[in-house]
Amino acid sequence: MGMMWGNDTMTKEKVLLNVEKLTKVFRISRGVHLKAVDGVNLYVKEGETLGLVGESGCGKSTLGRCILRLIEPTEGIVEYDGQAITSMRHKQLRQMRREMQMVFQNPYSSLNPRMTIMDSVKAPLDVFQVGTPKERIEQVVEMMKIVGLDESYLYRYPHEFSGGQRQRIVIARALMPRPKFLVCDEPVSALDVSVRSQVLNLMNEIQKEMGVAYLFISHDLSVVKHVSDRIAVMYLGQIVEISDVDELYDNPLHPYTQALISAIPIPDVGDKRERIILTGDIPSPISPPAGCRFHPRCKFATQRCKTECPSLKALAAGHAVACHLY
Amino acid sequence: MDNKVILEVNHLRTYFETKSGVVPAVDDISFQVREKEVFCIVGESGCGKTVTSLSILNLIPPNAGKIMEGSSVKLEGKELTNLPAKEMYDIRGNDISMIFQDPMTSLNPVLTIEKQLTETIMRHMRIKKNAARARAVELLNKVGIPSPEMRLKEYPHELSGGMRQRVMIAMALSCDPRILIADEPTTALDVTIQAQILQLMLELKDNISASVIMITHDLGVVADIADRIMVMYAGNTMEYGTSWQLFKNPLHPYTQGLLASIPRLDKRVESLYSIKGTVPKLSLEMKGCKFASRCPYADDRCRKEIPPLFDLRDAYGDGHKVSCWRMERKYGNDVGE
């Protein structure tokens, strides 16, 4: 397999994807707008995993889709390997999609129920006209081995598979055009615990073998911790903290990150952790609070937080936070 | 700890008739719920945890499934499985009430919160509208909803997910039930809201007299709240004990596997433990231990004979029950049922 991917000398240092001031505004009705993504800056290095965490409605899926231009961003730049995706024309963009693929949350709706597994997984190769038809089939067979599915499954239909198997199929399909970057939008949250760990391990192995970088979107902080090298925390369209994974869990700085981490239920008894229980609900992104968007739920909020929106400041190497406390 | 037993389930079997044969969704389950305790049923999708709770309430759709002969569900000594429909209406809501997973679909979108709450109260407590309204306000206060008078006039879509789940809890508590069944009450909620609802349930546990049966797939949630836990797999009980027994001394290979599969905040491992294979298709033809096909220790006997629930004693006390043949070898302590 190493030969097929020819990527043994990958380095983890080169920036593969760079996102600057990315903004997406949806128009709800006349005069009513929703800023789902608000001036996001981030980068993903070659072969690494950037975890993107946040609660429902924080804009994490929209951000993932804007990066691939599945949704057109309103403003901002996305650069992949030095090329600005955001200003590409359709034809060029389409070629670019070979390099960047997506895995969706629900493996039940992301496979066409009327296509065999072979047809679904082979589709990306057909679209990009890779090799001869015979070679394409061989590549699909090889990919099935990589994701741990039996070759005999290839001519079956999606309904014959369990959720975990379907997610393997979806991953296989995304990997077919040999991408270097995958946006994974909650890839394991529809799966049961015992199957979830199988898929997470598979994704880790694939990354090691093929050097593919992941933007791993999830609401589950324990899963994100397990797969990520770095983590970005999102709240109401903005990145509030971004850091190396161990640093983030050992030393969370933003009050929201602190609450998120302390809210994770730990499967053990006799756990005497101090819990931070946030009061109130997540405000509607249609009319977000002025100033720091987290201030109505923050126990450290001051007058300044109510009026002035903090920007992301780098405090240590690889650790930035958007909070007036620092 | 040893409070009076309030609900007793014995040899419960609920089978469903399907085109491809009979599916034993719940196959011979026995457990007891004591007064004022939180009893958790844990398992993955399809393990029969929800069917167990629906069987307790006698809510299995008659054209699809059936509680089999020999099953028994006793509420304070009163048999529920053969109760006439009319009497069962009074049990539901009055004695046993239920909170469902999805607060979006379990409230009626075209009725105000007031209408839905007072309807239940008036029906079960047989009181007048004004008294019912006062009771509704009191309940919303109890579950931590600010300005309850205002909220009563609103429709479900005006409330957030967390608020809706609070309303569902208020409704379930409205008639002071003996038992509250909560089926995945926090699964549809965000982490910070889940923490709020769990906190609320812990507070309520001390303030109400009801026992809680909580059904969930999330062992993390269970650890916070449970007194005793039953782990289910493919319609059978795998392990049963206090939360200390289950978390500090898990004995069944399935429980051990589940716990090891969860990525932990306090540990970083290269590769997660994973239970091989997938959940088997349920059928009456299955022999032996249901977990045998995925168990790293399974031998011929496991594949042929169903292990009994061995009743063991460990450092955390009596009553640690494990359905695994290895326990017989390990302890030589066969006091199964």
Side-chain angles (χ1 to χ4, degrees), chain A residues 81-151:
Chain A
D81 216 1
Q83 292 169 275
I85 297 175
T86 29
S87 53
M88 273 180 191
R89 294 199 169 258
H90 182 75
K91 235 180 174 171
Q92 224 181 341
L93 183 67
R94 191 158 175 156
Q95 282 308 311
M96 213 60 205
R97 292 255 162 84
R98 287 175 76 155
E99 306 258 330
M100 327 168 68
Q101 289 284 320
M102 182 138 184
V103 173
F104 296 94
Q105 170 172 5
N106 190 342
Y108 291 85
S109 59
S110 49
L111 286 169
N112 186 334
R114 296 172 62 165
M115 275 165 84
T116 61
I117 302 311
M118 171 59 95
D119 289 338
S120 279
V121 177
K122 193 159 64 67
L125 298 184
D126 295 338
V127 168
F128 295 120
Q129 299 280 315
V130 179
T132 63
K134 199 173 155 241
E135 282 167 2
R136 289 177 207 161
I137 290 174
E138 283 166 10
Q139 285 192 30
V140 172
V141 171
E142 189 182 348
M143 185 56 74
M144 292 301 269
K145 275 186 213 137
I146 295 172
V147 299
L149 286 174
D150 199 276
E151 207 182 304

Side-chain angles (χ1 to χ4, degrees), chain A residues 55-56 192-194 196-198 201 208 222 225-226 228 249 264-269 275 278 280-281 297, chain B residues 44-45 160 190 192-194 196 220 223-224 247-248 263 265 267-270 272-275 277 294:
Chain A
E55 297 180 279
S56 33
D192 272 319
V193 187
S194 72
R196 187 176 71 184
S197 55
Q198 293 174 3
N201 283 341
K208 264 190 219 139
S222 43
K225 174 170 193 256
H226 178 71
S228 305
Y249 285 87
I264 306 169
I266 286 188
D268 204 349
V269 281
R275 280 294 174 82
L278 289 179
D281 286 312
R297 300 175 80 191
Chain B
E44 300 179 281
S45 29
S160 66
D190 278 313
T192 58
I193 309 298
Q194 167 175 292
Q196 289 175 3
D224 273 352
F247 284 104
K248 293 296 182 198
L265 280 185
K267 295 167 198 156
R268 187 163 173 97
V269 287
E270 217 18 68
L272 281 176
Y273 180 83
S274 62
I275 302 174
R294 303 176 74 187

Side-chain angles (χ1 to χ4, degrees), chain B residues 134-184:
Chain B
R135 170 97 181 129
V137 171
E138 179 197 325
L139 283 163
L140 290 186
N141 252 328
K142 204 170 179 177
V143 296
I145 291 183
S147 47
E149 275 95 357
M150 244 173 69
R151 290 297 187 185
L152 276 180
K153 296 196 191 82
E154 295 187 340
Y155 289 90
H157 76 268
E158 298 175 81
L159 305 182
S160 66
M163 282 295 162
R164 275 179 232 176
Q165 201 56 295
R166 284 173 198 265
V167 171
M168 285 307 297
I169 294 172
M171 199 180 288
L173 293 177
S174 60
C175 306
D176 286 323
R178 310 282 295 141
I179 296 174
L180 176 66
I181 301 178
D183 190 353
E184 304 263 12

Side-chain angles (χ1 to χ4, degrees), chain A residues 68-243:
Chain A
L68 296 187
R69 272 184 73 186
L70 295 176
I71 298 175
E72 286 297 331
T74 314
E75 260 174 68
I77 301 168
V78 179
E79 277 177 348
Y80 175 84
D81 216 1
Q83 292 169 275
I85 297 175
T86 29
S87 53
M88 273 180 191
R89 294 199 169 258
H90 182 75
K91 235 180 174 171
Q92 224 181 341
L93 183 67
R94 191 158 175 156
Q95 282 308 311
M96 213 60 205
R97 292 255 162 84
R98 287 175 76 155
E99 306 258 330
M100 327 168 68
Q101 289 284 320
M102 182 138 184
V103 173
F104 296 94
Q105 170 172 5
N106 190 342
Y108 291 85
S109 59
S110 49
L111 286 169
N112 186 334
R114 296 172 62 165
M115 275 165 84
T116 61
I117 302 311
M118 171 59 95
D119 289 338
S120 279
V121 177
K122 193 159 64 67
L125 298 184
D126 295 338
V127 168
F128 295 120
Q129 299 280 315
V130 179
T132 63
K134 199 173 155 241
E135 282 167 2
R136 289 177 207 161
I137 290 174
E138 283 166 10
Q139 285 192 30
V140 172
V141 171
E142 189 182 348
M143 185 56 74
M144 292 301 269
K145 275 186 213 137
I146 295 172
V147 299
L149 286 174
D150 199 276
E151 207 182 304
S152 66
Y153 291 168
L154 275 171
Y155 295 95
R156 297 199 193 165
Y157 289 88
H159 75 266
E160 299 173 69
F161 296 94
S162 67
Q165 287 170 323
R166 282 185 218 204
Q167 204 58 307
R168 284 170 194 267
I169 295 165
V170 171
I171 291 171
R173 180 179 60 185
L175 291 172
M176 279 321 286
R178 308 178 196 182
K180 282 204 208 125
F181 176 62
L182 269 191
V183 173
C184 311
D185 192 357
E186 304 263 15
V188 295
S189 42
L191 306 177
D192 272 319
V193 187
S194 72
V195 177
R196 187 176 71 184
S197 55
Q198 293 174 3
V199 173
L200 288 175
N201 283 341
L202 173 71
M203 293 185 64
N204 267 341
E205 283 159 29
I206 286 169
Q207 183 167 57
K208 264 190 219 139
E209 296 266 355
M210 305 183 186
V212 54
Y214 296 139
L215 177 69
F216 193 100
I217 301 172
S218 177
H219 69 282
D220 186 331
L221 279 117
S222 43
V223 167
V224 168
K225 174 170 193 256
H226 178 71
V227 296
S228 305
D229 298 301
R230 292 185 304 124
I231 291 178
V233 181
M234 225 174 150
Y235 189 76
L236 284 177
Q238 297 172 335
I239 305 267
V240 295
E241 186 162 4
I242 187 162
S243 161

Side-chain angles (χ1 to χ4, degrees), chain B residues 29-314:
Chain B
I29 290 239
S30 303
F31 62 89
Q32 299 174 334
V33 180
R34 293 169 197 276
E35 223 164 22
K36 290 209 73 170
E37 79 168 352
V38 177
F39 181 80
C40 282
I41 304 179
V42 194
E44 300 179 281
S45 29
C47 75
K49 53 193 193 299
T50 298
V51 174
T52 303
S53 66
L54 292 178
S55 302
I56 293 171
L57 283 167
N58 222 329
L59 280 175
I60 301 292
N63 51 0
K66 203 176 145 205
I67 297 174
M68 305 303 283
E69 205 70 27
S71 311
S72 153
V73 177
K74 278 191 183 141
L75 176 72
E76 296 182 301
K78 188 178 187 183
E79 181 60 48
L80 299 185
T81 46
N82 51 16
L83 216 59
K86 229 178 167 179
E87 280 182 57
M88 201 60 215
Y89 282 143
D90 287 330
I91 300 273
R92 288 185 211 124
N94 258 351
D95 296 309
I96 309 178
S97 60
M98 187 151 178
I99 307 167
F100 296 92
Q101 169 171 356
D102 191 352
M104 314 281 171
T105 52
S106 37
L107 287 168
N108 187 332
V110 298
L111 298 179
T112 58
I113 303 299
E114 174 169 1
K115 180 84 188 147
Q116 302 189 50
L117 264 175
T118 52
E119 190 181 33
T120 320
I121 298 167
M122 281 155 62
R123 161 73 178 78
H124 286 287
M125 298 179 92
R126 310 220 150 80
I127 53 177
K128 286 267 161 49
K129 201 171 174 185
N130 279 340
R133 195 171 183 282
R135 170 97 181 129
V137 171
E138 179 197 325
L139 283 163
L140 290 186
N141 252 328
K142 204 170 179 177
V143 296
I145 291 183
S147 47
E149 275 95 357
M150 244 173 69
R151 290 297 187 185
L152 276 180
K153 296 196 191 82
E154 295 187 340
Y155 289 90
H157 76 268
E158 298 175 81
L159 305 182
S160 66
M163 282 295 162
R164 275 179 232 176
Q165 201 56 295
R166 284 173 198 265
V167 171
M168 285 307 297
I169 294 172
M171 199 180 288
L173 293 177
S174 60
C175 306
D176 286 323
R178 310 282 295 141
I179 296 174
L180 176 66
I181 301 178
D183 190 353
E184 304 263 12
T186 60
T187 307
L189 306 174
D190 278 313
V191 211
T192 58
I193 309 298
Q194 167 175 292
Q196 289 175 3
I197 297 290
L198 282 179
Q199 174 89 347
L200 170 70
M201 293 195 59
L202 277 174
E203 284 165 19
L204 288 175
K205 186 185 151 188
D206 298 331
N207 296 328
I208 59 174
S209 55
S211 313
V212 178
I213 301 178
M214 174 129 146
I215 295 166
T216 177
H217 70 283
D218 189 337
L219 279 160
V221 169
V222 170
D224 273 352
I225 195 164
D227 293 312
R228 283 184 311 132
I229 301 169
M230 177 166 81
V231 179
M232 280 182 79
Y233 182 79
N236 285 152
T237 303
M238 296 287 119
E239 191 163 359
Y240 179 138
T242 64
S243 41
W244 283 85
Q245 286 169 332
L246 266 279
F247 284 104
K248 293 296 182 198
N249 185 26
L251 292 172
H252 197 285
Y254 178 61
T255 318
Q256 292 169 348
L258 269 189
L259 283 169
S261 311
I262 304 172
R264 294 284 294 259
L265 280 185
D266 39 353
K267 295 167 198 156
R268 187 163 173 97
V269 287
E270 217 18 68
S271 153
L272 281 176
Y273 180 83
S274 62
I275 302 174
K276 280 195 283 296
T278 47
V279 181
K281 226 180 194 149
L282 298 178
S283 80
L284 286 174
E285 275 91 70
M286 275 181 86
K287 284 205 176 65
C289 171
K290 297 259 169 76
F291 188 59
S293 62
R294 303 176 74 187
C295 180
Y297 310 105
D299 59 18
D300 279 348
R301 187 186 193 182
C302 299
R303 284 182 272 270
K304 279 186 201 125
E305 291 173 60
I306 297 179
L309 264 182
F310 293 107
D311 195 340
L312 310 164
R313 185 190 158 76
D314 62 18

